[in-house]
Amino acid sequence: MVGERWRIAVISTVPPVVERLLPVLADLGHEPVVIISARMHRPDSEKRPPALQPSLLLEVAPPDVAVLYPTSKLQLEQLLRAYEPDLALCWGYPWKISIEALRVARLGSVNQHPALLPRHRGPIPLAWALRDGDPHFGVTWHRMDAELDTGSILAQSTVPIEDDDSTIEEIGPKLGQVAFSLLPRVLERVAAGDPGDPQAAEGASWAGHFGEDYATVDWAQPARAIHNQVRAWHLTFGLAPVPGPIAELDGERVRLLRTSLREHPDALARVETGDGPLWILDHEQAADPPGTGA
């Protein structure tokens, strides 16, 4: 099976990922035949950074590769069958895919998840790595099964978390570089029929959306904990059921958007935390909490 030219279906809503992935697959001797994205609900789509808008896939896809926008995950199986892929590669997709759709490709379906599985399964693993104070982000390629992020592991690595890592535009390229470096080994294991290494039960955790318990900034906390809280919320892409992180600054209720652990020439304010200063680089006025009558 090694040396075969595979027809590959790419499942993603992230244009920068697809733009880089297609030529990598071609260089490895394979043929991307379709990009399956998702028609996002407008509120969800508008909260994404401009560079991550799924509509931009039409601009990055080559003319000979179709781009499809199903309105429901129920359509995925049918769409995949129409293209008869040998392998489906998923990277950055918001919907849980049925096991029937995952089994369409002759060689199965493989996903890239930005966490060191089984730690931080779920929708916002990068945010949880920051919330938990991890020293690194994870990168895992794994086979896909009926549940989210539970399939057998094909390759893993890590990326150090730097103090200035705050946005997906800063973090994404570093994660991508590591993920692409692992891809040849991943495809070799798939070609060999290797089922992958089952995930350990120990250490499994769920990276679900943030709630009220993490929405308020406590200035008595250490500066690094608050800095992590601010940038963790940035990586939720506004999809949490509540707004955050909310802080009181100079008598006003604000939502912190960016902070620094070092003195910064563009800082709007310096705040004393539980163990030292934190510099506020950006914030916006926060809505009054429900029931205040304001």
Side-chain angles (χ1 to χ4, degrees):
M1 190 176 294
V2 177
E4 286 187 357
R5 183 176 178 84
W6 297 341
R7 293 171 55 83
I8 296 182
V10 174
I11 304 174
S12 178
T13 61
V14 187
V17 163
V18 173
E19 186 174 23
R20 294 183 62 192
L21 179 59
L22 296 189
V24 169
L25 293 174
D27 288 345
L28 291 171
H30 302 299
E31 180 187 5
V33 293
V34 65
I35 301 162
I36 298 181
S37 183
R39 186 174 298 179
M40 309 289 287
H41 297 297
R42 183 172 296 276
D44 289 355
S45 182
E46 288 177 347
K47 291 172 182 176
R48 287 182 162 221
L52 302 186
Q53 293 293 334
S55 60
L56 294 181
L57 289 168
L58 293 169
E59 299 180 14
V60 304
D64 58 340
V65 178
V67 182
L68 307 180
Y69 292 92
T71 59
S72 166
K73 58 187 174 184
L74 300 177
Q75 299 170 332
L76 293 177
E77 180 185 358
Q78 181 180 3
L79 293 175
L80 284 167
R81 289 193 184 283
Y83 284 86
E84 301 181 338
D86 296 301
L87 180 70
L89 276 185
C90 183
W91 185 338
Y93 201 65
W95 297 345
K96 184 178 180 181
I97 303 174
S98 71
I99 190 65
E100 292 78 15
L102 294 175
R103 289 174 175 168
V104 168
R106 177 174 63 88
L107 299 171
S109 301
V110 172
N111 180 53
Q112 193 286 130
H113 185 70
L116 201 63
L117 293 176
R119 185 169 174 79
H120 297 151
R121 297 168 177 162
I124 53 168
L126 299 176
W128 272 92
L130 292 167
R131 176 172 178 168
D132 287 342
D134 290 357
H136 51 248
F137 296 115
V139 175
T140 301
W141 286 99
H142 67 95
R143 289 189 177 272
M144 301 177 76
D145 58 20
E147 300 303 321
L148 287 173
D149 309 321
T150 57
S152 297
I153 293 170
L154 295 167
Q156 284 187 310
S157 190
T158 59
V159 176
I161 295 178
E162 306 292 342
D163 287 346
D164 293 333
D165 286 336
S166 296
T167 70
I168 192 62
E169 290 85 356
E170 295 161 344
I171 299 165
K174 294 189 286 187
L175 295 171
Q177 182 177 1
V178 171
F180 287 123
S181 72
L182 297 174
L183 189 54
R185 174 56 180 155
V186 170
L187 299 184
E188 286 175 6
R189 294 188 73 174
V190 170
D194 187 334
D197 307 313
Q199 293 189 31
E202 183 178 356
S205 64
W206 180 252
H209 289 299
F210 293 168
E212 292 283 1
D213 62 316
Y214 197 55
T216 302
V217 173
D218 179 0
W219 294 121
Q221 290 291 309
R224 182 171 294 278
I226 298 171
H227 180 58
N228 285 345
Q229 184 180 11
V230 172
R231 53 195 188 147
W233 273 92
H234 190 90
L235 294 174
T236 68
F237 305 114
L239 300 178
V242 297
I246 306 300
E248 184 174 321
L249 185 65
D250 297 329
E252 295 185 1
R253 190 169 184 268
V254 301
R255 187 166 75 94
L256 300 181
L257 301 177
R258 188 152 187 163
T259 55
S260 176
L261 293 170
R262 300 187 303 274
E263 186 172 4
H264 196 285
D266 297 327
L268 302 177
R270 167 182 162 147
V271 180
E272 290 301 321
T273 72
D275 66 350
L278 182 70
W279 285 265
I280 311 302
L281 304 186
D282 195 13
H283 63 75
E284 65 183 16
Q285 185 174 4
D288 291 317
T292 62

